Amino acid sequence: MREYIFPEGFLWGAATAGHQVEGNNLNSESWVLEHLPETIYAEPSGDACDHYHRYPQDIALLAELGFNAYRFSIEWARIEPEEGEFSYAELEHYRRMLAACHEHGIRPVVTFHHFTSPRWLLRAGGWLDEKTPARFARFCERATRHLGDLVGAACTFNEPNLAVLLSRLVPFDLQSGPWWDAAAQAFGVAPDQLGLFQFVTDPRMREIIIDAHRLAVDVLHGGPGDFPVGLTLALLDIQAAEGGEEQAAEIRRELSDSYLEQVRGDDFVGVQTYSRMVVGPTGVVRPGEDVEKNQMGEEFYPEALGGTIRHAAEVARVPILVTENGLATTDDSRRVEYFQRALRCVVDALEAGIDIRGYFAWSAFDNFEWVSGYRPKFGIIAVDRATQARTPKPSAHWLGEIARTNRYQG
Ligand code: BGC
């Protein structure tokens, strides 16, 4: 048993994303995708957790559990529902959310883009269109002008590397087939011009998002407010099995390093880790039948976080914020074990001198897990889908206690 006291001011929180919890994000491109007859989404997001209306109680609950930070995203599709038309009312909504955080001693970590975009952006070519970095910077400028003085830290983008990562993990091509053609038609573009952030692997998109990130960093640093700015990455702990060293290095380059190198000079990088990827001489080695897995089919491997933190620190050379880490399971005792072992890795990394500023569990609530719908349970707080009643799970109390005491034993 060891005891460790975290650095003063360490951020302890849980994370969410607007579309996954707010409900009725009608002007977003995801809403359209979820309702196509050919959709690959298991179900539509609907009311989600109705966090849009219930945020006051939700933020109070997180504070009561012991957390001092909350990571959430603002929805571009609400704030700018048509190009150039900004909604003062929606900006005020997010201002009230930020104020609620401060009232409860919670530092708000705001993601400006968590996968979803307004419908109009997709009609204009989405994340494959060269004008999109300027459009995103304009949105960031307008939102920061209204909200910046209350922002505690900002993530420009959530996981711009997700699509390339998924293309290595899922055995089918998400960018083709009837659903893709129907989606392109819905936005009035050709299938090869459907610039969907979550699915497209075209290298042009990477450049466009990195450009948008750079513009947004400057805008956000311009204030009002003075807060750290970074982006978050989906990082698997990529490990080589015997003979797979070369392949693993190549995959690590493609999925992680080519992005980590781009964030040098930022205030931090957000590390988001769930599992590991083992690479042998013939490619990715899938976990065997007898291996414990999460509800997404990935190996139960909390130690992945240690590997990704070390790797991110080495390549990006900026402070680390663990902006997502967690387990999809219906057995909450496995989540506690997962957090316990993952936090041991955080402690080891801190003791090795790595500058880690905070840890956010994914997720605060059981929520809308994109194409998988509501089946995977990532939350530390359960949400009754019929009544919207919230029930903190034992893992919420367990992690909240660590947050409250800023102390780890394990
Ligand atoms: C995303 C979340 C998602 C989570 C679990 C991350 O890729 O940022 O939106 O729900 O992983 O799959």
Side-chain angles (χ1 to χ4, degrees), residues 240-293:
E242 212 184 313
E245 292 76 9
E246 240 173 72
Q247 279 248 21
E250 199 184 297
I251 294 181
R252 207 176 287 121
R253 252 239 61 69
E254 180 199 354
L255 303 187
S256 310
D257 298 4
S258 60
Y259 294 86
L260 286 167
E261 284 161 5
Q262 299 293 331
V263 306
R264 289 181 185 152
D266 284 358
D267 300 324
F268 68 89
V269 62
V271 167
Q272 313 201 147
T273 297
Y274 292 88
S275 188
R276 68 172 164 181
M277 175 190 268
V278 178
V279 184
T282 53
V284 178
V285 183
R286 312 249 164 238
E289 289 286 307
D290 51 335
V291 171
E292 180 179 356
K293 302 189 189 66

Side-chain angles (χ1 to χ4, degrees), residues 20 114-115 158-159 272 274 324 362 369-370 378:
Q20 294 179 270
H114 195 124
F115 295 159
N158 183 72
E159 300 185 346
Q272 313 201 147
Y274 292 88
E324 284 184 27
W362 184 270
E369 179 53 29
W370 307 110
F378 277 96

Side-chain angles (χ1 to χ4, degrees), residues 123-167:
R123 291 197 296 265
W127 294 97
L128 284 170
D129 189 71
E130 280 171 5
K131 293 199 275 308
T132 293
R135 295 177 175 123
F136 181 64
R138 182 181 55 187
F139 156 66
C140 289
E141 191 279 326
R142 189 69 193 80
T144 310
R145 204 178 339 133
H146 204 98
L147 309 171
D149 57 323
L150 298 180
V151 170
C155 307
T156 55
F157 287 99
N158 183 72
E159 300 185 346
N161 63 334
L162 178 75
V164 279
L165 186 143
L166 282 181
S167 72

